[in-house]
Amino acid sequence: MRLSTAAGREETPFGVWDKAEADLWAEHGLTRRWTAVLAARGDGRSACPARDWRDGDVLIGLRRALRDDPQAPLSVSLALMRGEVPGLGVRTEGLEARLSAGRRLPGNGYAQAEIAHRLWRRGAGQTRLDAAAGVALTGRWQAVASLNGETSSLTGARSGARLRAGAGIATNFGARWRLVLAYRESLAADDDWRDRLATVTIQSRF
């Protein structure tokens, strides 16, 4: 399970306003290789005249482990979703395919990457790449970094691209829990909607 919240400012061609996000990712092991996945995301903006002040999406699917190795996991997932179509501003259904890989590094470090592609019912496509890494600092603390990129298209024509980067610190507490405090910023965006957010994430292992 992972629960993440973020708050900060968003700069757009229409002005600057406060922005908040919430993100939930939950998993339940069905067998040794199969896992059920449920995800939900939402965000809101204060004093936003250009669009609806809130949006989000939900996703439910199955993930299968292709390599059952805790030192270098590899998995693929397929999910149904409902959310806002990039470039259209309308809500509809879609399908997501995702490939995930990770690697344990010496000294309590890690690296992981995911690539996902979404096909929406209204003819739009969206591809997203997420990468993250962590290295040990002292004791239970780690330094963490992330990079997130996405492109979206509408009926085959490119309609948007975005790149974000983040950095922070993380620590484990108890046998199952992990806390991550980070800062995330948009490095580039085709539509000039850029945000700067402080994030708090709580994770647990099942």
Side-chain angles (χ1 to χ4, degrees):
M1 188 274 290
R2 182 185 72 234
L3 176 63
S4 179
T5 61
R9 302 283 281 173
E10 184 172 52
E11 299 177 3
T12 80
F14 308 98
V16 180
W17 42 70
D18 296 330
K19 180 180 180 181
E21 294 182 355
D23 188 304
L24 173 67
W25 182 278
E27 299 182 346
H28 178 70
L30 302 176
T31 67
R32 182 174 177 177
R33 288 187 176 269
W34 287 96
T35 301
V37 175
L38 173 66
R41 181 198 62 83
D43 61 53
R45 300 165 179 83
S46 64
C48 175
R51 56 177 295 180
D52 187 2
W53 69 276
R54 58 192 175 191
D55 60 37
D57 50 61
V58 294
L59 175 151
I60 184 168
L62 290 172
R63 178 166 58 84
R64 187 183 190 278
L66 301 178
R67 185 167 57 215
D68 190 15
D69 181 358
Q71 298 301 313
L74 179 68
S75 66
V76 63
S77 64
L78 190 65
L80 298 173
M81 60 187 182
R82 179 171 175 81
E84 183 174 309
V85 181
L88 281 183
V90 297
R91 299 183 64 78
T92 188
E93 297 76 31
L95 184 68
E96 181 192 87
R98 181 184 297 255
L99 178 67
S100 306
R103 182 74 180 180
R104 292 283 185 182
L105 302 178
N108 197 31
Y110 71 91
Q112 62 186 46
E114 293 186 334
I115 185 169
H117 185 69
R118 293 181 169 186
L119 291 175
W120 296 92
R121 186 176 168 187
R122 295 293 185 95
Q126 186 178 23
T127 301
R128 181 180 176 97
L129 175 65
D130 298 296
V135 294
L137 293 175
T138 58
R140 297 179 301 171
W141 291 93
Q142 280 184 323
V144 296
S146 64
L147 187 67
N148 316 106
E150 66 180 54
T151 62
S152 60
S153 62
L154 182 60
T155 60
R158 183 184 178 198
S159 59
R162 191 178 305 274
L163 181 66
R164 295 186 177 102
I169 55 174
T171 185
N172 297 323
F173 59 97
R176 299 174 50 197
W177 298 94
R178 177 177 173 83
L179 174 67
V180 183
L181 305 175
Y183 171 79
R184 190 189 75 201
E185 181 173 333
S186 297
L187 301 181
D190 281 355
D191 57 6
D192 290 328
W193 288 61
R194 306 187 183 203
D195 52 25
R196 296 179 176 88
L197 304 174
T199 66
V200 178
T201 302
I202 297 177
Q203 301 171 330
S204 72
R205 297 186 297 272
F206 63 84

